[in-house]
Amino acid sequence: MKENKLKKMKDISTSLAGVKLRNPTILASGILGITTASLIRIANSGAGAITTKSIGPVKREGYVNPVIVEVPCGMLNAVGLACPSLDDSLGGLKDTLRKADVPVIASLYGRTVKEFGEMAEKISEVKPDFLEANISCPNIENEFGKPFGTEPETSARVTEGIKNSTKLPLIVKLTPNVSDIKEIAKAVESAGADAISAINSYGPGMVINIETAIPVLSNKVGGLSGPAIKPIAVRCVYEIHETVEIPIIGIGGIQTGRDAIEMLMAGAAAVGIGTGIMKRDIKIFSEICEEIRNFMNSEGYSKLNELIGKAH
Amino acid sequence: MNAPEMVRILGIRTETPTVKTFILNKKIRAKPGQFAMLWIPEVDEKPFSFSKLDGNLEITVKEVGPFTRKLFSLKKGDLIGFRGPYGDGCFRVKGKRICVAAGGVGLAPLMPLIDEILKGNRDLTVIIGAVTEKELLWMDRLESRKIDLLTATDDGTCGKKGSVCDVLKKLVGKTRFDRIYSCGPELMMKRVADIALKEKIPCQLSLERYMKCGMGICGQCCIDPTGLRVCKDGPVFTAKELRGTEFGRYNRNASGSRCDL
């Protein structure tokens, strides 16, 4: 890009818990985040930050295919927290950090509160820019029990456990599958969370193939993502913004600059993008940034900050 | 919609002792090299390239594991889940003198390409290889067409004793090809790619990786260090795109762990 054009380009940088992002688009966890090569490609394609697929304590193959099925306005997925061994994951993360020119968010999960703390400690040695605690995967209830993120008390205990094991900023990723997300947000903020990601996938939902009368996903159920859950995500972010002071990464159904702006106006400081890649491919990051800039130009906004929480 | 649609198996042909072709009650516009995710309910879902594009789609499969064993037990009239076609990276016909190098059932995705090559006024050499003569795919179909056909078998029962690469290596010393297209076992394709790069002949190859979503969002089949997705950016790549990558060295299993070839 020519230098004079760069100069004219509106600054859409934002910050999360003191870390600056060149733009508010973040690769959400679980999408194109298995390998360093893939994460770096997304960073190079224009994302403001990248999130790894959740790193777990032991190697897991996840569920048998199909693990993904599209539905009108979104998709269901139940990949089942597949991940390589912890050593392999840490090696990959180290490599990603060495090569990335944008902040790297290391998503992690544990099977117990204690294990979340242990995972945080080990991952912190590699020094990612953020930890993100996945306390909200909706697909592993049969194996791991109810997600920690469904109760304020367990959400807080996981948060506290991680904060006692690391000095890195911690993002806690919340589930929308609760009766009052404000309570959960308050609980994790009080327990020391530095930021909140909202929301993880919704449901779970189910798709049954009617010719065979068999659920398509091998796990039978999977989390719903995509435009179908955007209004829920916007409402959750709006409520969380009214409840806590810490910054929010708004995630759920963002496909366009207008979607991103809506999420910012609900109170998000940055937005996560995942399922949108299904429709617009990886150029979605740079395109959404361009669309945000165009909107700001035409509507007379000079800084991204002016959009954040504007709907309140 | 990226969701399986149940299609009927219209017929099954036995091609070799280990290879069968399944004729699907499905007609789509697909390009040579593209593939579909095929679902056997309560078993698994796996990617398969098309071996015929005109009329009813066909897939040609070698029995190699639990999924293909199950597939081989299906009968005419049974239903199978289909989603696709996938793969933005497909075979593109260019040049006058063309060589197709196929190892075993790797000939399957090359068949629609061969059809397209023969539609133009081109010189086509096809090298097919297999462990033994009985496993050579579609000899009769290829022999009846305007093709310079060469064969290689591991046990020497038909054609050159050795591999497709041995035949190709000799051939490129004599004939100046404009393009090489290949599919087969990865280590064989790596040798084909190396020959093409050394001789500066543009070359396209079809890759196989463990896939989950098949549509470029899960990241399971990304190649190191470019991050190109086999399902979306491939499955067909140029030898140049694959130079210096994991191609020919390792791949990843369902957990995302590396497995050496």
Side-chain angles (χ1 to χ4, degrees), chain B residues 2-252:
Chain B
N2 295 294
E5 168 200 347
M6 300 312 291
V7 303
R8 214 160 282 284
I9 297 170
L10 293 176
I12 300 169
R13 279 197 312 268
T14 299
E15 308 284 7
T16 79
T18 63
V19 175
K20 283 185 182 181
T21 292
F22 297 80
I23 306 155
L24 306 179
N25 186 19
K26 179 83 184 163
K27 291 175 184 166
I28 49 168
R29 285 170 66 117
K31 296 179 191 132
Q34 285 193 307
F35 69 95
M37 296 295 289
L38 295 184
W39 175 48
I40 303 178
E42 297 179 306
V43 178
D44 208 335
E45 188 189 43
K46 298 269 184 196
F48 292 92
S49 299
F50 307 121
S51 53
K52 185 166 167 286
L53 299 177
D54 301 333
N56 291 305
L57 284 175
E58 294 184 8
I59 57 152
T60 300
V61 181
K62 187 183 173 76
E63 188 180 340
V64 292
F67 185 85
T68 46
R69 199 170 308 134
K70 190 76 196 175
L71 185 61
F72 272 42
S73 74
L74 296 183
K75 309 229 161 9
K76 181 179 169 179
D78 284 347
L79 291 172
I80 191 162
F82 178 103
R83 61 182 176 99
Y86 293 120
D88 292 347
C90 34
F91 289 117
R92 289 173 208 286
V93 180
K94 265 195 172 166
K96 173 88 172 72
R97 270 184 305 262
I98 293 170
C99 180
V100 169
V105 76
L107 181 58
L110 294 165
M111 282 307 270
L113 170 77
I114 289 172
D115 290 342
E116 204 170 306
I117 292 169
L118 291 175
K119 277 179 198 161
N121 179 28
R122 299 184 173 90
D123 300 333
L124 175 60
T125 301
V126 176
I127 312 168
I128 56 172
V131 286
T132 185
E133 182 176 17
K134 279 197 183 109
E135 287 297 333
L136 281 170
L137 208 51
W138 297 322
M139 283 270 286
D140 47 342
R141 270 172 75 181
L142 295 171
E143 273 171 340
S144 66
R145 307 176 74 171
K146 209 181 132 248
I147 293 171
D148 190 5
L149 183 67
L150 299 163
T151 56
T153 45
D154 293 352
D155 63 1
T157 45
C158 182
K160 162 104 186 154
K161 185 178 191 318
S163 86
V164 167
C165 308
D166 301 330
V167 178
L168 177 67
K169 206 167 176 184
K170 267 210 174 132
L171 211 54
V172 294
K174 292 186 287 188
T175 311
R176 182 68 211 172
F177 291 113
D178 299 320
R179 281 283 185 296
I180 297 173
Y181 300 95
S182 183
C183 185
E186 189 155 325
L187 290 174
M188 174 217 119
M189 281 199 288
K190 177 71 168 70
R191 283 185 64 198
V192 170
D194 288 345
I195 292 168
L197 288 168
K198 185 164 170 269
E199 301 291 332
K200 298 194 167 59
I201 304 166
C203 174
Q204 280 192 304
L205 313 105
S206 178
L207 249 65
E208 188 173 46
R209 283 292 180 273
Y210 191 95
M211 287 180 190
K212 288 184 178 175
C213 76
M215 53 186 170
I217 65 168
C218 77
Q220 172 68 39
C221 64
C222 291
I223 294 172
D224 288 344
T226 54
L228 289 173
R229 299 156 294 181
V230 173
C231 71
K232 174 82 178 173
D233 305 300
V236 176
F237 295 100
T238 64
K240 271 189 185 166
E241 284 174 307
L242 296 175
R243 182 162 50 188
T245 69
E246 68 178 44
F247 170 61
R249 295 192 291 135
Y250 62 85
N251 55 31
R252 285 173 200 274

